[in-house]
Amino acid sequence: MKIKIISKDSIKPSVWDGGETFEYLIYPEDSIYIERSFLFRISSASITKTPSHFTRFLGFKRYLVMLDNVLEIDRNNKKEFYTESDIFKFPSNDEIISYSLGNDFNLMVADSVAFSSVELSNELKNSTSDFVFIFAKKPTSLQLNNQEITLKSNDLLCLENSGKDTITISSNEKVLFISVQL
């Protein structure tokens, strides 16, 4: 199993309509975001203006979690509201207009990917997914199987699990557990 920690401080932001985006990971690594040639992408974004229009992507689903505020949106002309504890899952081609400021976590996954999930929890039990990611909203101490790992706020722990090892993780804080099965 390959283990890597990506710190938000190490990422150069790019601009989108409503603020900045920080790309933690794109897979495959040689994928080009603008060409939509990736299977999945993990990023964080700031929303610094209202209203702002989310970028639309045909053929992808998306998971979004607010990190420091609530999310008030119009989704396909219907009002919706999400707290920091909610996982907002939607087809990435939906028309989303945000009326909130703040920072969010994003997972974009191609419809061709077999399985993906995002959960806010203190533990993940017995995962054998190809990829498991842990995003820390706060400084966190994790137990990965029997290994201790410390994450700072906005760190992403990446586990590439090509050997299909069984992964069990517990955390002293609620974290975002992301699983992707190709």
Side-chain angles (χ1 to χ4, degrees), residues 75-122:
R75 175 181 175 189
N76 300 324
N77 297 312
K78 294 181 182 173
K79 297 211 177 297
E80 295 183 12
F81 179 86
Y82 298 90
T83 70
E84 289 180 58
S85 299
D86 294 326
I87 312 295
F88 173 35
K89 181 181 176 183
F90 59 100
S92 197
N93 197 42
D94 282 359
E95 182 180 356
I96 309 287
I97 302 170
S98 173
Y99 297 96
S100 299
L101 301 176
N103 295 286
D104 64 31
F105 167 87
N106 287 279
L107 170 66
M108 297 177 75
V109 182
D111 289 341
S112 63
V113 169
F115 173 80
S116 60
S117 70
V118 175
E119 299 174 29
L120 181 62
S121 179
N122 288 79

Side-chain angles (χ1 to χ4, degrees), residues 18-84:
E20 293 182 321
T21 184
F22 297 81
E23 182 178 275
Y24 283 84
L25 179 86
I26 194 165
Y27 184 86
E29 290 180 22
D30 61 350
S31 301
I32 299 171
Y33 171 72
I34 197 74
E35 292 178 3
R36 293 155 169 77
S37 62
F38 57 93
L39 292 175
F40 63 89
R41 177 182 187 258
I42 296 175
S43 64
S44 176
S46 63
I47 306 170
T48 57
K49 77 171 197 174
T50 60
S52 60
H53 296 260
F54 285 15
T55 305
R56 296 171 78 174
F57 281 78
L58 183 62
F60 289 83
K61 60 183 152 274
R62 191 161 164 187
Y63 302 82
L64 186 139
V65 180
M66 290 302 289
L67 300 175
D68 56 9
N69 199 4
V70 297
L71 180 64
E72 296 181 51
I73 60 168
D74 281 346
R75 175 181 175 189
N76 300 324
N77 297 312
K78 294 181 182 173
K79 297 211 177 297
E80 295 183 12
F81 179 86
Y82 298 90
T83 70
E84 289 180 58

Side-chain angles (χ1 to χ4, degrees), residues 1 127-131 160-167 180-182:
M1 177 176 2
S127 175
T128 57
S129 291
D130 294 327
F131 296 91
E160 188 173 340
N161 191 20
S162 57
K164 299 289 186 187
D165 298 329
T166 300
I167 300 170
V180 177
Q181 181 69 41
L182 300 178

